[in-house]
Amino acid sequence: MDSRRPPLVPAHRSLPELVRHWAGTTPDRRAFTYVDHPAPGSRGVHRTLTWRRLDLRVRALAARLAEDTEPGARVALLCPQGTEYVTAFLAALTAGLVAVPLYPPDLPGHGDRLAAVLADARPAVVVTTSPGADLVRDFCADTTARIVVADQVPDAAAEGWQPVTPQESAVAYLQYTSGSTRTPAGVEITHANVVANARQALTAYGADTHPVTCVGWLPLYHDMGLVLSVAAPVARGLLSVLMDSVAFLHEPVRWLRLLGAHPRAVSAAPNFAYDYCAAAVTEAQKADLRLGDIAALINGSEPVRPGTADRFHAAFAAQGLDPATHCPSYGLAEATVFVSAARPGQPPHRFALDRDALAAGKALPARPDDPRAVLLAGCGTPAGQQVRITDPVTDAVLSEGEVGEIRVQGPNVGRGYWNQEELTRRVFGPDGLLRTGDLGTVLDGQLIVTGRLKDLIVVDGRNHYPQDVEATAQEAHPALRPDRLAAFGTSGASGVSGASDVSGASGERVVVVAEHVRGTSLAEIDVPALVGAVRAAVSSRHGLRLADVVLVPPGTVPRTSSGKVSRALTRERYLAGAYPAEAVR
C-alpha cells in the first residue's frame, strides 16, 4: 500500500536515522522513483525504491564504504542522476563519512572543475556506477582514492553491519559552490544543518502539514537538487520522483508530465527553465497535460523575473495551472540552500523600482510601464531564520528600502569552508551572521534580491547590475540567445585583438559577450546591425556606452555546474583574448 498521507514525523536529527525510521514504520511505501528516458520520444521508464529497499541498499553500501576508511574521510560521488546517487549519498552519511556530491567526468565543460574539487577534497573513496566505472578509474588514476561501484555491492554486505548514529554537529557533506563569482569552495554542511534546512523548506512550501510529491530534474550535485529531491523527502517520508536534467533539456514537456502525474507536486527550477517550457512545449504536447494539482513551483534564480512567471502561467493556463503556485525564492550553498521563499497559494509580490535610485542604493517605486523601471519579484519571508540587510563596508543594519548586503543567521548556516580558515572568518564571521555576497532590500516585508556584490559594474561612481544590462541586450535583437550572455566591467585594454575601445574613458569599461541563437551561423547574421541595436538599447536604458560587444557561437559563454552563466570566467577568458576578433563589430 502507498497511502498519500505520511505518518507523523519523528524528532530524529540526521538523515540516516530518518531513513531507518521510515524503513521500520512504512517499509513498503515508495521512497524514490527515477524516471529514465532512454530514447527520443520516450515517456519514461520508472525504477522505484521502497523505504525498506532503500534502507537495505544504504546499509550495504555504507558497510562497503566503511571498510579501511577512517570516520570523517571524504567520499566523492561521481554517479549519474538516479537512485544509486541517492543511495551513495545516504550511505556515506550512514557510514560516518563526509559525502562530496559531484558528477561523472563526462559532464561537458566541467572536467577541470571536477579535477580541482577532487584535489581540494582529497577523497578516500570515489563512488560511481557500472556504466561509467572505467571512465572514473581513468580520471582518478593519479589519486589514491579507492573506487567503489555502487550497483556491484551485493545486498549481503549489509549483514551484521551496524551503523553508528552520527553526531548532529559533525560534517555530513561538502557542498561545493558553483563558482559563479569565485573559485569553488567546499561548504561544510553538518547533519543538523541539512535536517534543519529540509524542514524549513517543507514548512515554507506547505509540505509540513499536507502531503506532497517532490518532483525534480535539478542535478543532485547542486544544493537545491540535493535538498529538495533527497533531504526534504527523507525528512518527511515523502515520495521523490527524479529525472535527468539532460532529459528535461531534450524534451521539457517530460517535466510537466511528471508534475501532472503526481499528487500535489513540489518542484524547483531557475528562470530559464520556465521560459524554455513556455517557448518549446507544443500545443499538441499540452493536450494531455493536467497541471491543476501542483502545490508549488519554486523559482530560485537571482533575481527572479516577474515576466518569466507571467509567460509560463499564460502558456499553461488552459492546463489548469494556478499562478499562485509560483514561489520566488532565495538561497545559497553556505546556508545549505533555502533562506527565503514566497508561500504558495498567494500571487507573487512584484515591485517596479526606479533604476537610478536602485543604482544609488535606494528602492524607490516607479511606474511599471516606465522603460527605466526595474521589475523584480519578492522572494517572500525567511524560512526559520533571520535575514538582515547591512552596509557592505560598515556592517551597519540598514532600514527598509535601503539596498545592502543580505546577511543570514539560522540553524541551516554551514560551519565554514573546508580547509579555508581565512575565507571562513571573512564570510561566516564571528557574530554568526553569514555574509552572502548578494545585494538586496526589504519592502513590504518581502526580501528582494537585486544582484551580486562582486558582479556590480561601477562606472563614474554609479552602480549597474549586470543582469539588467544582459536583459536589455538580449531583448535588443532576435538573434541573441536568451540567458546565454554575460555583462561585466573591466579595466585596461580590450581582450579581443582588433576591437576598438569606445568607452571614451580611462575608467571601467563595460563589455557584453553574447551567444547567438542555435540553427544559424555568424555569417548569416548582420553583426553590425546587431551590435548597433545592443549598443543603442543599453545606452538608452542604462546610460552606458559599451566598450565591446562580442558575438560568439552557442555553448561558448561558460556556465557554472549549476547552469548559471559565469561572468567571472567569461571576463577572465575575454581578458585572455580567448574570443576571436572577427566576432566583434
mmCIF file of all heavy atoms in Angstrom, residues 133-168:
data_model
loop_
_atom_site.group_PDB
_atom_site.id
_atom_site.type_symbol
_atom_site.label_atom_id
_atom_site.label_comp_id
_atom_site.label_asym_id
_atom_site.label_seq_id
_atom_site.Cartn_x
_atom_site.Cartn_y
_atom_site.Cartn_z
ATOM 1 N N ALA A 133 32.222 3.333 -14.792
ATOM 2 C CA ALA A 133 33.308 2.950 -13.891
ATOM 3 C C ALA A 133 34.684 3.093 -14.540
ATOM 4 O O ALA A 133 35.628 3.592 -13.921
ATOM 5 C CB ALA A 133 33.096 1.519 -13.399
ATOM 6 N N ASP A 134 34.822 2.662 -15.788
ATOM 7 C CA ASP A 134 36.131 2.747 -16.455
ATOM 8 C C ASP A 134 36.564 4.197 -16.631
ATOM 9 O O ASP A 134 37.742 4.535 -16.427
ATOM 10 C CB ASP A 134 36.079 2.038 -17.810
ATOM 11 C CG ASP A 134 35.967 0.528 -17.680
ATOM 12 O OD1 ASP A 134 36.299 0.012 -16.586
ATOM 13 O OD2 ASP A 134 35.543 -0.121 -18.652
ATOM 14 N N LEU A 135 35.633 5.049 -17.006
ATOM 15 C CA LEU A 135 35.944 6.463 -17.180
ATOM 16 C C LEU A 135 36.385 7.085 -15.852
ATOM 17 O O LEU A 135 37.340 7.864 -15.803
ATOM 18 C CB LEU A 135 34.723 7.195 -17.730
ATOM 19 C CG LEU A 135 34.887 8.691 -18.019
ATOM 20 C CD1 LEU A 135 35.951 8.928 -19.082
ATOM 21 C CD2 LEU A 135 33.550 9.297 -18.457
ATOM 22 N N VAL A 136 35.711 6.727 -14.769
ATOM 23 C CA VAL A 136 36.063 7.257 -13.452
ATOM 24 C C VAL A 136 37.432 6.749 -13.018
ATOM 25 O O VAL A 136 38.250 7.505 -12.480
ATOM 26 C CB VAL A 136 34.986 6.894 -12.412
ATOM 27 C CG1 VAL A 136 35.468 7.197 -10.992
ATOM 28 C CG2 VAL A 136 33.692 7.655 -12.706
ATOM 29 N N ARG A 137 37.704 5.481 -13.269
ATOM 30 C CA ARG A 137 39.026 4.938 -12.904
ATOM 31 C C ARG A 137 40.133 5.676 -13.648
ATOM 32 O O ARG A 137 41.166 6.024 -13.069
ATOM 33 C CB ARG A 137 39.078 3.441 -13.220
ATOM 34 C CG ARG A 137 38.260 2.576 -12.272
ATOM 35 C CD ARG A 137 38.578 1.089 -12.475
ATOM 36 N NE ARG A 137 37.765 0.254 -11.609
ATOM 37 C CZ ARG A 137 36.634 -0.331 -11.980
ATOM 38 N NH1 ARG A 137 36.197 -0.187 -13.235
ATOM 39 N NH2 ARG A 137 35.948 -1.071 -11.124
ATOM 40 N N ASP A 138 39.920 5.946 -14.920
ATOM 41 C CA ASP A 138 40.926 6.679 -15.692
ATOM 42 C C ASP A 138 41.088 8.100 -15.157
ATOM 43 O O ASP A 138 42.208 8.604 -15.040
ATOM 44 C CB ASP A 138 40.528 6.724 -17.171
ATOM 45 C CG ASP A 138 40.627 5.359 -17.846
ATOM 46 O OD1 ASP A 138 41.306 4.476 -17.282
ATOM 47 O OD2 ASP A 138 40.012 5.198 -18.924
ATOM 48 N N PHE A 139 39.982 8.740 -14.843
ATOM 49 C CA PHE A 139 40.028 10.124 -14.385
ATOM 50 C C PHE A 139 40.730 10.229 -13.034
ATOM 51 O O PHE A 139 41.419 11.225 -12.765
ATOM 52 C CB PHE A 139 38.601 10.682 -14.277
ATOM 53 C CG PHE A 139 38.530 12.179 -14.130
ATOM 54 C CD1 PHE A 139 38.567 12.994 -15.251
ATOM 55 C CD2 PHE A 139 38.428 12.769 -12.879
ATOM 56 C CE1 PHE A 139 38.500 14.372 -15.124
ATOM 57 C CE2 PHE A 139 38.368 14.151 -12.745
ATOM 58 C CZ PHE A 139 38.403 14.961 -13.878
ATOM 59 N N CYS A 140 40.556 9.221 -12.194
ATOM 60 C CA CYS A 140 41.122 9.243 -10.842
ATOM 61 C C CYS A 140 42.414 8.446 -10.731
ATOM 62 O O CYS A 140 42.861 8.129 -9.616
ATOM 63 C CB CYS A 140 40.094 8.698 -9.840
ATOM 64 S SG CYS A 140 38.555 9.645 -9.757
ATOM 65 N N ALA A 141 43.025 8.133 -11.860
ATOM 66 C CA ALA A 141 44.213 7.266 -11.860
ATOM 67 C C ALA A 141 45.366 7.854 -11.063
ATOM 68 O O ALA A 141 46.182 7.118 -10.493
ATOM 69 C CB ALA A 141 44.646 6.988 -13.304
ATOM 70 N N ASP A 142 45.470 9.179 -11.010
ATOM 71 C CA ASP A 142 46.582 9.819 -10.313
ATOM 72 C C ASP A 142 46.281 10.090 -8.842
ATOM 73 O O ASP A 142 47.084 10.738 -8.159
ATOM 74 C CB ASP A 142 46.942 11.137 -11.008
ATOM 75 C CG ASP A 142 47.499 10.922 -12.412
ATOM 76 O OD1 ASP A 142 48.065 9.841 -12.663
ATOM 77 O OD2 ASP A 142 47.338 11.831 -13.256
ATOM 78 N N THR A 143 45.133 9.628 -8.356
ATOM 79 C CA THR A 143 44.785 9.824 -6.951
ATOM 80 C C THR A 143 44.936 8.509 -6.198
ATOM 81 O O THR A 143 45.119 7.445 -6.802
ATOM 82 C CB THR A 143 43.334 10.318 -6.798
ATOM 83 O OG1 THR A 143 42.426 9.226 -7.074
ATOM 84 C CG2 THR A 143 43.036 11.466 -7.753
ATOM 85 N N THR A 144 44.849 8.576 -4.882
ATOM 86 C CA THR A 144 44.936 7.370 -4.048
ATOM 87 C C THR A 144 43.553 6.861 -3.652
ATOM 88 O O THR A 144 43.446 5.934 -2.848
ATOM 89 C CB THR A 144 45.748 7.665 -2.785
ATOM 90 O OG1 THR A 144 45.108 8.726 -2.049
ATOM 91 C CG2 THR A 144 47.174 8.081 -3.139
ATOM 92 N N ALA A 145 42.509 7.478 -4.212
ATOM 93 C CA ALA A 145 41.149 7.114 -3.820
ATOM 94 C C ALA A 145 40.791 5.705 -4.259
ATOM 95 O O ALA A 145 41.152 5.254 -5.350
ATOM 96 C CB ALA A 145 40.152 8.109 -4.419
ATOM 97 N N ARG A 146 40.080 5.001 -3.397
ATOM 98 C CA ARG A 146 39.552 3.672 -3.713
ATOM 99 C C ARG A 146 38.250 3.846 -4.487
ATOM 100 O O ARG A 146 37.406 4.671 -4.117
ATOM 101 C CB ARG A 146 39.320 2.906 -2.413
ATOM 102 C CG ARG A 146 38.672 1.544 -2.551
ATOM 103 C CD ARG A 146 38.861 0.739 -1.266
ATOM 104 N NE ARG A 146 38.398 1.460 -0.085
ATOM 105 C CZ ARG A 146 37.200 1.268 0.491
ATOM 106 N NH1 ARG A 146 36.345 0.394 -0.023
ATOM 107 N NH2 ARG A 146 36.860 1.939 1.562
ATOM 108 N N ILE A 147 38.060 3.097 -5.554
ATOM 109 C CA ILE A 147 36.856 3.185 -6.385
ATOM 110 C C ILE A 147 35.866 2.123 -5.938
ATOM 111 O O ILE A 147 36.201 0.934 -5.867
ATOM 112 C CB ILE A 147 37.186 2.997 -7.876
ATOM 113 C CG1 ILE A 147 38.314 3.937 -8.312
ATOM 114 C CG2 ILE A 147 35.935 3.223 -8.715
ATOM 115 C CD1 ILE A 147 37.993 5.399 -8.187
ATOM 116 N N VAL A 148 34.643 2.542 -5.639
ATOM 117 C CA VAL A 148 33.570 1.618 -5.276
ATOM 118 C C VAL A 148 32.452 1.781 -6.298
ATOM 119 O O VAL A 148 31.964 2.893 -6.524
ATOM 120 C CB VAL A 148 33.033 1.886 -3.861
ATOM 121 C CG1 VAL A 148 31.792 1.038 -3.584
ATOM 122 C CG2 VAL A 148 34.105 1.600 -2.814
ATOM 123 N N VAL A 149 32.052 0.678 -6.924
ATOM 124 C CA VAL A 149 30.971 0.691 -7.910
ATOM 125 C C VAL A 149 29.686 0.313 -7.184
ATOM 126 O O VAL A 149 29.498 -0.839 -6.789
ATOM 127 C CB VAL A 149 31.271 -0.272 -9.070
ATOM 128 C CG1 VAL A 149 30.163 -0.198 -10.118
ATOM 129 C CG2 VAL A 149 32.620 0.057 -9.697
ATOM 130 N N ALA A 150 28.814 1.280 -6.991
ATOM 131 C CA ALA A 150 27.675 1.123 -6.096
ATOM 132 C C ALA A 150 26.775 -0.049 -6.462
ATOM 133 O O ALA A 150 26.374 -0.835 -5.596
ATOM 134 C CB ALA A 150 26.865 2.417 -6.066
ATOM 135 N N ASP A 151 26.444 -0.186 -7.750
ATOM 136 C CA ASP A 151 25.498 -1.220 -8.137
ATOM 137 C C ASP A 151 26.114 -2.621 -8.138
ATOM 138 O O ASP A 151 25.404 -3.613 -8.350
ATOM 139 C CB ASP A 151 24.888 -0.915 -9.511
ATOM 140 C CG ASP A 151 25.948 -0.618 -10.553
ATOM 141 O OD1 ASP A 151 26.772 0.270 -10.310
ATOM 142 O OD2 ASP A 151 25.953 -1.272 -11.606
ATOM 143 N N GLN A 152 27.429 -2.712 -7.889
ATOM 144 C CA GLN A 152 28.074 -4.023 -7.792
ATOM 145 C C GLN A 152 28.233 -4.497 -6.351
ATOM 146 O O GLN A 152 28.727 -5.602 -6.114
ATOM 147 C CB GLN A 152 29.433 -3.984 -8.486
ATOM 148 C CG GLN A 152 29.350 -3.795 -9.995
ATOM 149 C CD GLN A 152 30.699 -3.766 -10.675
ATOM 150 O OE1 GLN A 152 31.739 -4.001 -10.047
ATOM 151 N NE2 GLN A 152 30.703 -3.473 -11.982
ATOM 152 N N VAL A 153 27.821 -3.676 -5.401
ATOM 153 C CA VAL A 153 27.877 -4.073 -3.989
ATOM 154 C C VAL A 153 26.636 -4.914 -3.686
ATOM 155 O O VAL A 153 25.512 -4.432 -3.858
ATOM 156 C CB VAL A 153 27.927 -2.844 -3.070
ATOM 157 C CG1 VAL A 153 27.875 -3.254 -1.604
ATOM 158 C CG2 VAL A 153 29.180 -2.022 -3.340
ATOM 159 N N PRO A 154 26.790 -6.153 -3.233
ATOM 160 C CA PRO A 154 25.625 -7.013 -3.005
ATOM 161 C C PRO A 154 24.869 -6.630 -1.742
ATOM 162 O O PRO A 154 25.426 -6.028 -0.821
ATOM 163 C CB PRO A 154 26.258 -8.405 -2.860
ATOM 164 C CG PRO A 154 27.623 -8.137 -2.330
ATOM 165 C CD PRO A 154 28.063 -6.849 -2.967
ATOM 166 N N ASP A 155 23.589 -6.992 -1.701
ATOM 167 C CA ASP A 155 22.782 -6.751 -0.506
ATOM 168 C C ASP A 155 23.396 -7.415 0.717
ATOM 169 O O ASP A 155 23.278 -6.903 1.841
ATOM 170 C CB ASP A 155 21.369 -7.296 -0.707
ATOM 171 C CG ASP A 155 20.594 -6.535 -1.768
ATOM 172 O OD1 ASP A 155 21.066 -5.469 -2.218
ATOM 173 O OD2 ASP A 155 19.503 -7.019 -2.159
ATOM 174 N N ALA A 156 24.067 -8.544 0.513
ATOM 175 C CA ALA A 156 24.631 -9.303 1.628
ATOM 176 C C ALA A 156 25.674 -8.522 2.405
ATOM 177 O O ALA A 156 25.980 -8.857 3.558
ATOM 178 C CB ALA A 156 25.246 -10.604 1.108
ATOM 179 N N ALA A 157 26.222 -7.454 1.813
ATOM 180 C CA ALA A 157 27.223 -6.653 2.519
ATOM 181 C C ALA A 157 26.642 -5.994 3.761
ATOM 182 O O ALA A 157 27.389 -5.607 4.668
ATOM 183 C CB ALA A 157 27.794 -5.590 1.582
ATOM 184 N N ALA A 158 25.313 -5.873 3.813
ATOM 185 C CA ALA A 158 24.673 -5.245 4.978
ATOM 186 C C ALA A 158 24.584 -6.169 6.169
ATOM 187 O O ALA A 158 24.375 -5.713 7.302
ATOM 188 C CB ALA A 158 23.271 -4.770 4.593
ATOM 189 N N GLU A 159 24.747 -7.472 5.968
ATOM 190 C CA GLU A 159 24.562 -8.447 7.047
ATOM 191 C C GLU A 159 25.606 -8.250 8.144
ATOM 192 O O GLU A 159 26.805 -8.219 7.882
ATOM 193 C CB GLU A 159 24.652 -9.864 6.486
ATOM 194 C CG GLU A 159 23.524 -10.218 5.527
ATOM 195 C CD GLU A 159 23.686 -11.609 4.943
ATOM 196 O OE1 GLU A 159 24.644 -12.310 5.346
ATOM 197 O OE2 GLU A 159 22.862 -11.987 4.082
ATOM 198 N N GLY A 160 25.109 -8.095 9.360
ATOM 199 C CA GLY A 160 25.994 -7.987 10.510
ATOM 200 C C GLY A 160 26.618 -6.630 10.716
ATOM 201 O O GLY A 160 27.336 -6.427 11.702
ATOM 202 N N TRP A 161 26.370 -5.673 9.803
ATOM 203 C CA TRP A 161 26.988 -4.353 9.953
ATOM 204 C C TRP A 161 26.013 -3.419 10.644
ATOM 205 O O TRP A 161 24.837 -3.343 10.273
ATOM 206 C CB TRP A 161 27.377 -3.779 8.598
ATOM 207 C CG TRP A 161 28.131 -2.476 8.698
ATOM 208 C CD1 TRP A 161 29.449 -2.321 8.965
ATOM 209 C CD2 TRP A 161 27.584 -1.161 8.564
ATOM 210 N NE1 TRP A 161 29.780 -0.975 9.012
ATOM 211 C CE2 TRP A 161 28.647 -0.240 8.757
ATOM 212 C CE3 TRP A 161 26.317 -0.661 8.298
ATOM 213 C CZ2 TRP A 161 28.475 1.129 8.700
ATOM 214 C CZ3 TRP A 161 26.133 0.710 8.236
ATOM 215 C CH2 TRP A 161 27.208 1.589 8.427
ATOM 216 N N GLN A 162 26.476 -2.709 11.660
ATOM 217 C CA GLN A 162 25.627 -1.806 12.410
ATOM 218 C C GLN A 162 26.091 -0.361 12.233
ATOM 219 O O GLN A 162 27.253 -0.040 12.501
ATOM 220 C CB GLN A 162 25.655 -2.165 13.904
ATOM 221 C CG GLN A 162 24.964 -3.477 14.232
ATOM 222 C CD GLN A 162 23.479 -3.448 13.902
ATOM 223 O OE1 GLN A 162 22.807 -2.436 14.114
ATOM 224 N NE2 GLN A 162 22.971 -4.558 13.391
ATOM 225 N N PRO A 163 25.215 0.501 11.778
ATOM 226 C CA PRO A 163 25.606 1.911 11.630
ATOM 227 C C PRO A 163 25.748 2.598 12.984
ATOM 228 O O PRO A 163 25.120 2.199 13.969
ATOM 229 C CB PRO A 163 24.438 2.512 10.836
ATOM 230 C CG PRO A 163 23.267 1.640 11.164
ATOM 231 C CD PRO A 163 23.821 0.250 11.351
ATOM 232 N N VAL A 164 26.570 3.622 13.017
ATOM 233 C CA VAL A 164 26.745 4.430 14.212
ATOM 234 C C VAL A 164 25.960 5.719 14.022
ATOM 235 O O VAL A 164 26.077 6.384 12.986
ATOM 236 C CB VAL A 164 28.238 4.749 14.449
ATOM 237 C CG1 VAL A 164 28.398 5.647 15.674
ATOM 238 C CG2 VAL A 164 29.024 3.464 14.625
ATOM 239 N N THR A 165 25.152 6.084 15.001
ATOM 240 C CA THR A 165 24.369 7.312 14.891
ATOM 241 C C THR A 165 25.305 8.516 14.870
ATOM 242 O O THR A 165 26.094 8.717 15.795
ATOM 243 C CB THR A 165 23.397 7.447 16.074
ATOM 244 O OG1 THR A 165 22.516 6.320 16.081
ATOM 245 C CG2 THR A 165 22.581 8.733 15.958
ATOM 246 N N PRO A 166 25.268 9.317 13.800
ATOM 247 C CA PRO A 166 26.207 10.446 13.691
ATOM 248 C C PRO A 166 25.874 11.563 14.670
ATOM 249 O O PRO A 166 24.718 11.752 15.055
ATOM 250 C CB PRO A 166 26.024 10.910 12.246
ATOM 251 C CG PRO A 166 24.631 10.503 11.893
ATOM 252 C CD PRO A 166 24.366 9.222 12.642
ATOM 253 N N GLN A 167 26.891 12.295 15.081
ATOM 254 C CA GLN A 167 26.689 13.491 15.888
ATOM 255 C C GLN A 167 26.087 14.583 14.997
ATOM 256 O O GLN A 167 26.544 14.802 13.875
ATOM 257 C CB GLN A 167 28.019 13.968 16.465
ATOM 258 C CG GLN A 167 28.639 13.009 17.467
ATOM 259 C CD GLN A 167 27.834 12.926 18.758
ATOM 260 O OE1 GLN A 167 27.312 13.933 19.243
ATOM 261 N NE2 GLN A 167 27.713 11.727 19.293
ATOM 262 N N GLU A 168 25.073 15.263 15.505
ATOM 263 C CA GLU A 168 24.413 16.256 14.652
ATOM 264 C C GLU A 168 25.331 17.420 14.303
ATOM 265 O O GLU A 168 25.136 18.102 13.292
ATOM 266 C CB GLU A 168 23.140 16.770 15.309
ATOM 267 C CG GLU A 168 23.327 17.416 16.661
ATOM 268 C CD GLU A 168 22.007 17.926 17.225
ATOM 269 O OE1 GLU A 168 21.313 18.686 16.533
ATOM 270 O OE2 GLU A 168 21.667 17.542 18.354
#
